[in-house]
Amino acid sequence: MNRPSLRLRLAARGFDATTLLVLPGLAVMLALFVYPFAYGIVDSLMPREGAWYANYTRFFTDRFQFATIGATLWLALPVTIVNMALALPIAFRVRLMSRQRLLTTILVLPITLGTVFVADGLLTFLGPQGWFNRALILVGLLDAPVKLTNNYWGVFASLLITGFPFAFLLTLSYVTGIDPAIEQAAATLGAGPRQRFFRVFLPLLVPGLAVTFCLAFVQAFAVFPSAVLLGAPAGPTRVISIAAYQAAFEQYDHSMGSAIAIIMGLVELVVVVAVLGLRTLFYRGPAGGTKG
Amino acid sequence: MIRDQGLASKLWRFAVWALAGLFVLNLIGVMAAVVMNSFARRWLGTWLPAGWTTRWYFDAWSEFQLSSVVLVTFQVVFAVVLISGMIGVITAYALARRDFPGKRAVILLFLLPLLIPPLTYGIPLATVLYQIGLGGSFWGVVLINLVPSLPFVILVMIPFIEQIDPRIEAAARVFGAGTGSLFLRILLPLLLPGMLAALLLVLVRTIAMFELTFLIAGPTSQTLVVALYYAVFASGVRASQSIDAMAVVYMVTTLFWLVLALQFVSPTQIVARAKQQQAS
């Protein structure tokens, strides 16, 4: 008996004319993402002068450059933790609301408007004569306006304004994904609100919260326009993306720029892997009722 | 739903709502400050501006050459939406309908640009684009914006296509539909709601995409958000009202499309890419 034709054998494994439709998309990604990424890695290993690793040694021996990692983490980690700490209880309340649409629509505004617009608005809003300082003085919390722009707190505020809604909307989609019957069962069996949260909801939510934390962290870690506009880009908020941008487009050293960009990706990867690794410590068996 | 009646629960509930209310209040304050300043004749050291005027809009429109910036923005955004939409839907169709070896790797490849900070792949990509002479050009901006938008379309479309019953296509084949008419008369009408949602989301995201556009945009290929960044960056040069007038133009442009998009998608969908990740 003859073997089936090549076409039939391929089709049996899932390769036929329809599968080929994946090619245009794949080609675009290979040309615009994989190739430039590989090019960047090779480029970073071919510095203007010195040995192949010269860019990396230059980055890690120059305090001005090296300190950007700490500055970025010092912004991104606290902001992400604050955002998550706010998002979780508020999402738990909003879950019980019948009409969430108005609130979610308002909260999606800063995400869609983007950091540049938020930074522009915060410059007025948080300024010494802005409404924020005025309101605090009116209430009596302050005697004189505090400086909240062109320093660490300006960038912190901008990451809060865009980052909290992001963390909140993601958390909300996880929280509403939990079957309400589970909570009712726990309440029927006599669990108080605290017990229901810590013993029932939290274990079910940990995987989702870990993913939310990672995505929120990635956003905060990549902070760029607001660190320039609202921060002190030469001082405490000189984040790593500023260093990468300056190397590549102000000193025209694209080799060094690529090197810093790759270091940036690696540092972020370390945090993400650590968080996802911690998640597996918490994880105990299948978390029925959610996507798991 | 269970509602607890104890005092501690009530206090806790109040505290949580107060926090949420404070956040929304501040958020509205930030946006209102921009709008109010753009209409202010003078605004120094008072709660509200001293007088109202619309002249800053005329100023900003000519100073920042907004007519050409707005035109370029729409050209860029529609080019990105069209290209990523066409290629994305085709690719998503293949990924939704077929299982083949290496599919997981392909999906991972489409996930990566959404997980890596834009500058990490943007700087090498911009370097390559400058070297082939696309730096500062219209097509350079379009190409760099395709990197996040194409995966976004694909990841939104895959679950949407998966829920369309393949037997509908089979039935059309049985009744003698060719590939062309199968696509035009069966698939396209079924896909249209999903495509509309995905493309509107890409549109909103591309208008606001700063980091990547900023790396490659030249004087003639600036989008609104990049022009706004430069204006705020050099804020001592122009009146702050003029900059805020431009910010309002940007805000109205974005909000117009956002309102349109929200007719077809829920607000959570704008951020909820985590769900698709888990599904893969």
Side-chain angles (χ1 to χ4, degrees), chain A residues 2-264:
Chain A
N2 285 336
R3 290 184 66 192
S5 68
L6 178 68
R7 175 190 269 222
L8 277 178
R9 272 181 286 145
L10 278 175
R13 300 200 58 194
F15 286 105
D16 60 6
T18 308
T19 318
L20 291 183
L21 291 178
V22 92
L23 287 181
L26 205 57
V28 171
M29 289 309 284
L30 287 177
L32 291 178
F33 184 72
V34 177
Y35 168 70
F37 210 87
Y39 177 89
I41 293 176
V42 174
D43 192 30
S44 77
L45 297 175
M46 295 198 298
R48 275 193 194 154
E49 52 204 29
W52 58 272
Y53 50 80
N55 280 328
Y56 292 91
T57 46
R58 239 173 78 204
F59 181 85
F60 283 106
T61 49
D62 185 354
R63 245 202 73 74
F64 189 56
Q65 302 281 36
F66 178 59
T68 56
I69 294 182
T72 317
L73 288 176
W74 181 236
L75 262 171
L77 281 177
V79 163
T80 312
I81 291 169
V82 168
N83 283 339
M84 295 292 295
L86 284 175
L88 191 57
I90 295 180
F92 260 85
R93 279 291 129 216
V94 171
R95 151 189 84 110
L96 304 169
M97 261 165 81
S98 47
R99 279 182 298 181
Q100 307 168 352
R101 180 110 181 167
L102 178 67
L103 183 67
T104 47
T105 305
I106 292 176
L107 287 181
V108 92
L109 289 179
I111 302 176
T112 43
L113 287 174
T115 38
V116 179
F117 179 89
V118 170
D120 177 43
L122 282 174
L123 276 174
T124 318
F125 183 74
L126 291 181
Q129 293 295 337
W131 284 338
F132 189 79
N133 268 317
R134 287 184 160 274
L136 287 188
I137 292 172
L138 187 78
V139 178
L141 282 173
L142 287 179
D143 295 327
V146 281
K147 185 172 153 64
L148 291 170
T149 54
N150 302 102
N151 59 14
Y152 176 85
W153 294 108
V155 188
F156 193 95
S158 93
L159 288 176
L160 198 68
I161 291 263
T162 51
F164 164 72
F166 182 81
F168 168 79
L169 291 173
L170 274 179
T171 313
L172 185 65
S173 72
Y174 283 113
V175 170
T176 48
I178 294 179
D179 191 351
I182 296 177
E183 189 190 12
Q184 273 153 13
T188 309
L189 296 174
R194 193 163 310 178
Q195 270 178 312
R196 286 205 301 274
F197 177 76
F198 284 105
R199 309 284 294 269
V200 178
F201 276 119
L202 201 59
L204 289 173
L205 277 175
V206 165
L209 291 182
V211 172
T212 308
F213 186 93
C214 289
L215 290 174
F217 174 77
V218 168
Q219 291 225 329
F221 191 78
V223 55
F224 177 53
S226 56
V228 178
L229 300 176
L230 265 172
T237 71
R238 186 170 189 270
V239 292
I240 192 162
S241 42
I242 297 182
Y245 175 78
Q246 282 179 342
F249 296 98
E250 284 177 12
Q251 293 147 16
Y252 299 105
D253 187 350
H254 52 78
S255 170
M256 184 69 186
S258 297
I260 302 178
I262 286 160
I263 293 170
M264 178 175 168

Side-chain angles (χ1 to χ4, degrees), chain B residues 76-90:
Chain B
V76 166
V77 167
F78 284 117
V80 169
V81 166
L82 272 181
I83 297 172
S84 61
M86 273 194 318
I87 301 179
V89 170
I90 290 174

Side-chain angles (χ1 to χ4, degrees), chain B residues 19-241:
Chain B
L19 266 180
L22 264 181
F23 184 87
V24 170
L25 201 67
N26 277 293
L27 175 60
I28 292 172
V30 171
M31 290 167 57
V34 173
V35 176
M36 204 155 277
N37 195 26
S38 75
F39 286 110
R41 206 180 289 279
R42 243 174 110 258
W43 192 8
L44 289 169
T46 46
W47 278 95
L48 290 177
W52 307 96
T53 173
T54 51
R55 64 169 268 242
W56 301 112
Y57 285 87
F58 299 101
D59 279 13
W61 199 269
S62 58
E63 270 178 40
F64 299 115
Q65 285 137 14
L66 281 191
S67 25
S68 73
V69 172
V70 170
L71 185 68
V72 168
T73 306
F74 281 120
Q75 284 171 339
V76 166
V77 167
F78 284 117
V80 169
V81 166
L82 272 181
I83 297 172
S84 61
M86 273 194 318
I87 301 179
V89 170
I90 290 174
T91 310
Y93 183 77
L95 287 173
R97 283 285 186 254
R98 292 288 181 271
D99 263 320
F100 53 90
K103 182 176 161 182
R104 290 180 72 90
V106 173
I107 289 185
L108 183 70
L109 175 66
F110 287 120
L111 269 174
L112 275 179
L114 303 176
L115 296 175
I116 297 178
L119 278 182
T120 300
Y121 60 82
I123 286 179
L125 175 55
T127 310
V128 170
L129 289 176
Y130 271 105
Q131 277 172 357
I132 57 174
L134 283 173
S137 73
F138 173 80
W139 287 107
V141 174
V142 172
L143 285 178
I144 207 167
N145 271 298
L146 281 180
V147 180
S149 7
L150 179 64
F152 187 81
V153 175
I154 292 173
L155 293 176
V156 172
M157 287 309 287
I158 288 177
F160 190 84
I161 297 175
E162 274 172 346
Q163 51 102 33
I164 295 176
D165 195 337
R167 283 176 301 186
I168 295 174
E169 290 157 52
R173 286 277 188 208
V174 170
F175 287 115
T179 307
S181 65
L182 175 75
F183 179 74
L184 277 180
R185 305 185 54 182
I186 311 293
L187 276 179
L188 205 58
L190 285 171
L191 288 178
L192 218 50
M195 277 171 69
L196 208 59
L199 295 186
L200 279 169
L201 289 178
V202 166
L203 202 155
V204 171
R205 291 162 61 95
T206 310
I207 294 180
M209 174 41 88
F210 170 76
E211 280 92 345
L212 294 174
T213 313
F214 176 63
L215 293 182
I216 197 90
T220 56
S221 55
Q222 268 179 26
T223 60
L224 256 175
V225 67
V226 175
L228 179 64
Y229 172 85
Y230 281 121
V232 181
F233 185 70
S235 55
V237 184
R238 317 239 185 237
S240 74
Q241 290 99 320

